Amino acid sequence: MKIVTIIGARPQFVKAAMVSKAVKEYNEKHNERVSEIIVHTGQHFDANMSDVFFNQMNIPKPEYDLGINSLGHGAMTGQMLEKIEKVLLEEEPNWVLVYGDTNSTIAGALAAKKLHIKVAHVEAGLRSFNNKMPEEINRVLTDRISDILFCPTETAVNNLRKEGSENVNYKVIKTGDIMLDAANVYKQYASKPKGVSDGKFILSTIHRAENTDSKEKLTAIFSALSKITSKEKVVLPLHPRTKSFIEKYGIQLDASIEIIEPVGYLEMIWLLSNCSMVITDSGGVQKEAYFFKKPCITIREETEWTELVEAGVNFLTGSNESLIVNTYNELKSKQLDFDTMLYGDGETRKLILNELISY
Ligand code: UDP
């Protein structure tokens, strides 16, 4: 069986690393080989946004590196579609595997479907119900044309049900969350990043377009972080797009926020294990905060991971400065319950691979 995996952005490397691990483990045990061809679209290309994940997480070297980046949505998705189609005509795989909600996801799914190649979507069924997010468009369309939808949560399965999944010719499977596999596998290798001083800290990451694309919102977020860092140090690995918007808007960063370069996965796992709280607008980091039993303030108006909010461990503040600061103040002394298993048992990679083999 041959799988072509399409990836291009940081969160996809973390997830795909786990399926590649399952493929490797399967091939070691069985005579029948599963071959996986990795296509890197090039969406994230900096060494610290891409190579570091391939190195640290043993992701096989991409067979194809399409080098498509720094373009608007239309040009980027269009070029990906064209180049992925060529790869698929050459490789003739049984499956195309796509992850999450980026332009690489929709381009991979669309190229494959038009060639009548089966598509499996990992992290299917998530909805923010905010059609202004490019990610929402990518997810909805990818789900609709995929053959197997691997859903991380019951909420995701229910979202699809509400869209009439029983009338659509795809298979919906609840698998648990593949990022839990990654956290469990790699937590023993956590490594302290350079540039982080000793002592208690809050971990923050900010990169969503809805925040970075607005001067007002980004200014309010960094103003809230300044107030918080005067009480407890904030460590913030700065995403390149956020960095360029901070420069563009001329936002003055508080010198006591510890801004560091984006870190590798092992360093991120260290930060997550050792922080007291997480403040983020990342999808993946919200869940990782939960895996590592840390309260999370989410700098968004809504989240796809609603079970975290319902469990009382994740708090949505949007970019409202005083709400962010007040939520931090309330959470400092609160004990939260992280004991429910919201995301499966950490063996999602095996379930996904077995399903692809037996379909
Ligand atoms: N991540 C990382 N280094 C960083 C920031 C994030 O390794 O400096 C990891 C993070 O732990 C998670 C993944 O990247 O596993 C999430 O990616 P991101 O926040 O970029 O995307 P999202 O999940 O919001 O789509």
Side-chain angles (χ1 to χ4, degrees):
M1 187 184 73
K2 190 195 257 189
I3 303 170
V4 165
T5 295
I6 314 276
I7 48 180
R10 179 166 70 183
Q12 293 168 329
F13 306 143
V14 172
K15 294 162 201 165
M18 290 299 100
V19 175
S20 295
K21 179 176 164 58
V23 168
K24 189 163 168 267
E25 287 165 353
Y26 182 89
N27 286 341
E28 279 162 7
K29 275 201 210 129
H30 299 81
N31 289 330
E32 172 205 2
R33 273 193 70 79
V34 172
S35 90
E36 186 191 23
I37 307 285
I38 307 239
V39 178
H40 188 326
T41 60
Q43 205 171 336
H44 284 166
F45 55 89
D46 293 335
N48 58 13
M49 295 291 288
S50 175
D51 295 359
V52 67
F53 296 92
F54 285 82
N55 297 334
Q56 290 187 342
M57 304 181 87
N58 290 319
I59 308 170
K61 195 175 150 33
E63 223 92 6
Y64 298 88
D65 203 333
L66 306 184
I68 304 164
N69 50 61
S70 313
L71 297 166
H73 283 283
M76 192 193 285
T77 315
Q79 287 193 18
M80 285 177 182
L81 193 53
E82 191 178 349
K83 290 194 181 174
I84 293 170
E85 185 178 68
K86 280 200 188 109
V87 171
L88 298 181
L89 285 168
E90 171 111 9
E91 294 292 342
E92 299 184 338
N94 304 87
W95 282 104
V96 165
L97 193 52
V98 294
Y99 291 86
D101 53 27
T102 71
N103 290 338
S104 308
T105 317
I106 178 68
L110 194 51
K113 261 342 259 185
K114 293 272 179 90
L115 296 172
H116 306 161
I117 298 168
K118 290 186 297 236
V119 177
H121 184 202
V122 178
E123 216 182 58
L126 296 187
R127 298 290 180 265
S128 65
F129 304 101
N130 175 358
N131 273 344
K132 291 210 171 113
M133 286 179 81
E135 293 92 338
E136 182 77 354
I137 322 265
N138 291 337
R139 326 180 163 105
V140 169
L141 298 180
T142 301
D143 280 347
R144 187 60 184 76
I145 58 173
S146 293
D147 295 274
I148 303 190
L149 305 194
F150 292 119
C151 295
T153 58
E154 196 57 40
T155 317
V157 173
N158 283 334
N159 287 339
L160 293 168
R161 210 169 277 144
K162 284 181 208 146
E163 290 174 8
S165 55
E166 61 285 359
N167 302 317
V168 186
N169 192 17
Y170 51 41
K171 190 169 178 186
V172 176
I173 301 168
K174 184 179 146 191
T175 56
D177 191 292
I178 194 143
M179 291 184 80
L180 180 58
D181 293 37
N184 286 349
V185 168
Y186 285 102
K187 66 181 165 207
Q188 56 183 319
Y189 305 112
S191 159
K192 187 176 180 191
K194 289 197 193 95
V196 175
S197 63
D198 289 338
K200 210 166 166 251
F201 67 93
I202 293 166
L203 170 64
S204 182
T205 74
I206 303 292
H207 74 282
R208 283 259 95 71
E210 68 208 61
N211 288 325
T212 58
D213 294 3
S214 151
K215 181 177 180 182
E216 200 191 338
K217 285 186 180 177
L218 204 57
T219 306
I221 294 164
F222 276 96
S223 177
L225 292 177
S226 286
K227 291 196 172 129
I228 292 171
T229 207
S230 67
K231 298 177 190 164
E232 187 177 349
K233 183 176 74 184
V234 173
V235 174
L236 193 149
L238 190 58
H239 193 287
R241 81 180 262 116
T242 313
K243 185 176 181 198
S244 63
F245 277 103
I246 287 172
E247 284 161 6
K248 181 176 158 196
Y249 302 145
I251 298 174
Q252 290 301 318
L253 295 181
D254 189 316
S256 49
I257 302 176
E258 264 179 36
I259 303 276
I260 56 175
E261 290 289 313
V263 294
Y265 188 67
L266 302 184
E267 288 77 14
M268 193 64 183
I269 290 292
W270 186 92
L271 291 169
L272 285 156
S273 310
N274 290 283
C275 68
S276 62
M277 196 187 294
V278 171
I279 302 180
T280 191
D281 62 6
S282 157
V285 177
Q286 287 177 60
K287 279 175 298 161
E288 289 169 332
Y290 183 75
F291 303 157
F292 289 91
K293 302 187 189 306
K294 308 296 160 124
C296 183
I297 297 178
T298 298
I299 309 287
R300 288 184 50 196
E301 301 293 339
E302 73 280 309
T303 179
E304 300 77 26
W305 307 101
T306 49
E307 55 286 327
L308 292 171
V309 177
E310 282 152 21
V313 295
N314 186 320
F315 303 84
L316 297 173
T317 60
S319 54
N320 182 321
E321 182 181 337
S322 52
L323 191 53
I324 299 170
V325 176
N326 292 343
T327 309
Y328 162 74
N329 285 330
E330 277 166 30
L331 279 175
K332 257 191 320 185
S333 51
K334 249 195 192 161
Q335 280 299 323
L336 305 181
D337 176 8
F338 292 93
D339 287 340
T340 327
M341 284 177 76
L342 296 175
Y343 295 107
D345 59 2
E347 302 288 333
T348 292
R349 62 190 182 281
K350 296 177 191 161
L351 243 153
I352 289 175
L353 184 62
N354 288 341
E355 192 60 45
L356 295 179
I357 291 169
S358 62
Y359 182 87

